[in-house]
Amino acid sequence: MSSSLAAPGPALELIASLEKELVARGFEVHSSPFGYYKSFKVAVKGHPLSELSREIVAESAAAGKEDVSEAVKAEAKLVSHWHILEPTGHMHHLSIKDGKVSGYPFEGHDRLQKFATYEMAKSREAKEEPAHVRLMQELELVDYEPGSDPGNLRYYPKGKLIKGLLEEFIGERVREYGAMEVESPVMYDFEHPALKSYLARFPARQYIVQTPNKRAFLRFSACFGQFLIMKDMVISYKQLPLPLYELTRYSFRAEQRGEVAGLRRLRAFTMPDCHALVSDIEMAKEELMVRFDVAWGILEDCGLSMPDDFEVGMRVTQDFWNAHKDFVVAYAKRWGKPILVEMWSEQFFYFVQKYEWNFVDGNDKAAALTTDQIDTENAERFGITFTDEDGKKRHPLILHLSPSGAVERVLYALLEKAAAAAKAGTPPMLPVWLSPTQVRIVPISEDQLEYAKSLLPRLDGIRADLDDSNDTLGKKIRNAEKEWVPYIVVIGKKEIEGGTLNVRVRQTKEQTEMAVDALRHRIANETRGRPSRPLAEPAFLSERPIFRG
RNA sequence: GCCACCGUAGCUCAGCCGGUUAGAGCGGCAGUUUCGUAAACUGCAGGUCCGGGGUUCGAAUCCCUGCGGUGGCUCCA
């Protein structure tokens, strides 16, 4: 019994020899080739977990899977030690018993405790659907696409607007940091020698594509594309550190069916990926902290609170810790609150150090956004070199940064944060620069419609739309609030006569009088330094179709 | 991938221990209303009850199977 069956030929031989052997031992034997018994039942009385053990192989048969079993064996030997490192440099060793983490007084650090428990105990207690799933649908941003594969989503105009803005923004910041933007293919040859050994460790997660003449896999990150570019580049030590950037739309991972969830875990996702070549470990540490600040600024300006909304998972090898303890401590100090450190007895992966910033959501689930790694292996594997001061070719180290994490996860975090705000009694909303409608103009009755229309050109550069339905005022306000519109402008007789705007501000729940220019300046201030796009749908609500309901 | 639960109108859901033409609210459309800060009124239209197969005189309802979703397990380079 196996999920990876041999060809029919060997099976027939096997049946024949089994029959012969059994007859020789005096059994009465009937045999039939497979295919004759497509339908039968095997009832096994045993422990429920026995269902997880499906593969039954003779020992010698396992030899054919050397690459895989080597990695599996190595990983099984991996010993992790867990710690909490305080910004002061104090280290607390953690232990776990019955799903409870101890060794550190977590008072005031609830989410760090949840994150540590999530990582160490793998405990999942959520019973509810994640809050962002309902929100992404109700706000007509993103939805499931049953016509595709699980974890491949459809974006409605408002969702595409937000995603596009995030992508533009992240790209701008990474280019400002100095990264050169490139683009690489989404699929790669299974038989490419440089990719083969890398892939052999993770054979089960790829989407497979049959091209006209080869089997290919869809990329799960920008690593290959950038490494293959880098191996052909001619690089001097003077040019280091040297960062390349690509926005992968998409990266594909054929996650197991039950692991796919909303915007949190997808099979196709948009990954900003920035690899930098550095000459040695000292430059790596220095550059890592430069990128730390870039990533910090991006998440903060996307509307997340730094560092409050995140918990650090820092993974280091024992050797790296021994040699660079001061660096890890300085990192914790820069972060400003305690971090979770996982220490590995040996280096089993291609990196010696890695960190992630994890968002802990309302169901106590953690999702990694920003991550950066110090890779000591792949330059050699892919043949990436630079010429050093002595004119000799050397392999650089490679830093793997995703400055924001997957763009979908940024949206996930924003929606979960909004849901948490709603639960706490404050109005849920997106940052103004990401709000699909920034200003909703609401005439009280038809008499004010023409005047209301004349305001649209005066709000140039702002996503302002107009509710031209003949709903009552209360209904129009309600509809705008349901869409999380940050500024609702009500136009009645008074406003036409006075020439000012009556603005209902979502953030503060207040109503204020202000001039058109004052509103413009207010929004310009709130969106400064972020990209802008026009409305994703017609300005008049009566001209908008419904995408979901 | 494994286990459990779920899938009825555009949306949210009722109906489901088998039995008339499958219901409601919201939304849509038409008309009335022209309103001062989170839901005006009346009428009309709208359904492959997720797909396929089976049991039955008869299936939205029971069984099998596929697809999709949620939770848990596993996993998250």
Side-chain angles (χ1 to χ4, degrees):
Chain A
M1 290 168 75
S2 170
S3 53
S4 58
L5 294 169
L12 282 171
E13 268 175 48
L14 194 61
I15 284 176
S17 71
L18 281 172
E19 182 171 13
K20 199 174 154 195
E21 187 76 21
L22 287 166
V23 168
R25 292 187 192 187
F27 291 99
E28 186 190 339
V29 182
H30 301 275
S31 73
S32 81
F34 51 87
Y36 280 68
Y37 45 85
K38 281 279 193 227
S39 177
F40 66 95
K41 278 185 184 169
V42 180
V44 179
K45 182 171 178 159
H47 191 275
L49 288 177
S50 65
E51 287 170 3
L52 294 172
S53 312
R54 277 163 293 122
E55 187 122 339
I56 301 167
V57 291
E59 209 153 333
S60 60
K65 294 186 173 181
E66 244 167 51
D67 288 346
V68 179
S69 28
E70 208 169 300
V72 169
K73 273 185 221 155
E75 212 170 338
K77 278 197 303 184
L78 190 149
V79 180
S80 282
H81 294 287
W82 300 87
H83 309 266
I84 295 292
L85 177 61
E86 295 191 56
T88 55
H90 280 104
M91 191 86 140
H92 304 258
H93 183 77
L94 297 181
S95 55
I96 183 153
K97 202 182 164 191
D98 300 331
K100 256 195 87 117
V101 174
S102 59
Y104 180 74
F106 281 102
E107 285 81 30
H109 299 288
D110 288 0
R111 278 190 289 200
L112 180 60
Q113 181 168 27
K114 284 169 179 167
F115 174 55
T117 308
Y118 184 88
E119 285 290 318
M120 294 170 68
K122 314 286 184 192
S123 91
R124 308 294 142 85
E125 283 162 18
K127 293 212 161 61
E128 291 171 25
E129 172 174 274
H132 76 275
V133 172
R134 185 168 275 256
L135 290 175
M136 76 188 197
Q137 294 172 327
E138 282 181 357
L139 294 170
E140 288 194 320
L141 305 178
V142 193
D143 214 336
Y144 294 115
E145 177 48 80
S148 181
D149 200 44
N152 288 255
L153 303 179
R154 58 159 78 151
Y155 287 78
Y156 301 122
K158 291 174 201 146
K160 176 62 184 170
L161 170 81
I162 292 171
K163 183 161 180 279
L165 285 168
L166 287 169
E167 291 169 2
E168 279 167 45
F169 174 67
I170 294 161
E172 270 173 24
R173 287 294 176 90
V174 178
R175 288 187 295 269
E176 275 169 27
Y177 147 67
M180 296 180 273
E181 188 164 7
V182 296
E183 183 171 319
S184 63
V186 295
M187 67 179 77
Y188 294 87
D189 187 352
F190 261 111
E191 299 306 319
H192 189 288
L195 304 178
K196 211 173 174 180
S197 70
Y198 193 44
L199 260 184
R201 299 174 69 176
F202 310 103
R205 293 281 171 66
Q206 270 51 257
Y207 270 109
I208 313 288
V209 176
Q210 181 64 55
T211 76
N213 58 358
K214 58 179 71 159
R215 259 173 93 239
F217 64 92
L218 298 181
R219 65 176 172 196
F220 50 79
S221 71
C223 296
F224 321 110
Q226 291 183 16
F227 293 168
L228 292 170
I229 291 173
M230 286 166 167
K231 82 170 169 53
D232 290 330
M233 288 167 68
V234 178
I235 301 165
S236 155
Y237 74 93
K238 295 175 193 168
Q239 292 149 4
L240 303 182
L242 193 160
L244 294 186
Y245 171 68
E246 178 169 7
L247 180 75
T248 63
R249 189 166 55 214
Y250 295 104
S251 285
F252 295 91
R253 299 182 189 184
E255 306 291 12
Q256 294 186 74
R257 186 61 194 79
E259 294 164 3
V260 176
L263 286 165
R264 193 167 71 88
R265 189 94 178 267
L266 295 162
R267 281 188 178 170
F269 54 97
T270 309
M271 188 74 148
D273 211 344
C274 177
H275 295 87
L277 303 183
V278 293
S279 54
D280 53 33
I281 197 76
E282 290 310 311
M283 188 187 276
K285 290 190 295 185
E286 199 178 312
E287 192 63 11
L288 192 102
M289 293 314 290
V290 172
R291 296 145 71 86
F292 179 110
D293 289 332
V294 172
W296 179 293
I298 287 174
L299 291 184
E300 188 158 59
D301 289 347
C302 281
L304 296 161
S305 306
M306 303 301 297
D308 292 357
D309 285 338
F310 294 93
E311 301 301 334
V312 170
M314 169 79 77
R315 330 274 164 173
V316 291
T317 61
Q318 186 71 52
D319 287 351
F320 184 89
W321 170 259
N322 292 341
H324 308 286
K325 180 176 180 220
D326 53 340
F327 168 77
V328 182
V329 172
Y331 180 104
K333 192 175 176 190
R334 168 67 185 88
W335 181 251
K337 54 177 196 175
I339 68 174
L340 178 70
V341 178
E342 180 179 15
M343 215 174 286
W344 286 318
S345 48
E346 291 169 56
Q347 179 176 350
F348 289 107
F349 304 109
Y350 57 77
F351 49 86
V352 292
Q353 183 273 354
K354 161 192 179 186
Y355 74 80
E356 321 114 27
W357 295 347
N358 293 275
F359 184 88
V360 181
D361 69 22
N363 283 343
D364 297 349
K365 298 204 176 199
L369 274 82
T370 298
T371 177
D372 205 354
Q373 305 159 7
I374 302 177
D375 173 354
T376 58
E377 284 184 1
N378 280 311
E380 191 171 349
R381 175 176 281 130
F382 282 81
I384 300 165
T385 59
F386 70 99
T387 309
D388 70 10
E389 293 91 324
D390 303 323
K392 289 192 188 114
K393 295 270 187 203
R394 275 174 50 194
H395 294 299
L397 300 177
I398 305 174
L399 265 35
H400 295 235
L401 170 73
S402 182
S404 62
V407 174
E408 292 83 355
R409 279 193 177 174
V410 176
L411 184 53
Y412 145 80
L414 288 170
L415 291 175
E416 287 287 338
K417 188 178 164 73
K423 215 171 170 184
T426 39
M429 58 188 295
L430 292 166
V432 174
W433 75 282
L434 291 172
S435 296
T437 294
Q438 293 168 323
V439 176
R440 166 76 40 88
I441 299 173
V442 178
I444 290 181
S445 74
E446 257 170 47
D447 295 341
Q448 290 85 32
L449 190 55
E450 283 312 308
Y451 180 81
K453 283 181 183 173
S454 75
L455 290 171
L456 287 176
R458 295 174 66 192
L459 292 166
D460 190 35
I462 288 171
R463 285 190 295 273
D465 57 23
L466 193 155
D467 191 338
D468 58 342
S469 68
N470 63 355
D471 288 328
T472 58
L473 177 64
K475 185 64 165 291
K476 287 186 273 204
I477 298 284
R478 178 181 147 86
N479 286 338
E481 295 287 6
K482 278 170 65 184
E483 286 182 49
W484 298 5
V485 175
Y487 297 103
I488 302 171
V489 171
V490 174
I491 299 296
K493 281 182 198 138
K494 275 186 274 177
E495 286 69 31
I496 295 179
E497 283 161 18
T500 58
L501 302 179
N502 179 297
V503 183
R504 184 180 160 116
V505 182
R506 182 176 181 80
Q507 177 104 60
T508 57
K509 301 178 179 175
E510 61 182 352
Q511 281 176 51
T512 55
E513 293 288 327
M514 62 173 89
V516 176
D517 280 344
L519 180 60
R520 287 181 56 172
H521 288 133
R522 181 171 175 147
I523 292 173
N525 275 329
E526 288 173 329
T527 59
R528 192 178 312 285
R530 275 78 148 195
S532 75
R533 281 192 181 191
L535 286 169
E537 297 181 54
F540 298 148
L541 297 205
S542 66
E543 292 174 13
R544 288 185 187 175
I546 291 165
F547 284 89
R548 191 176 188 275

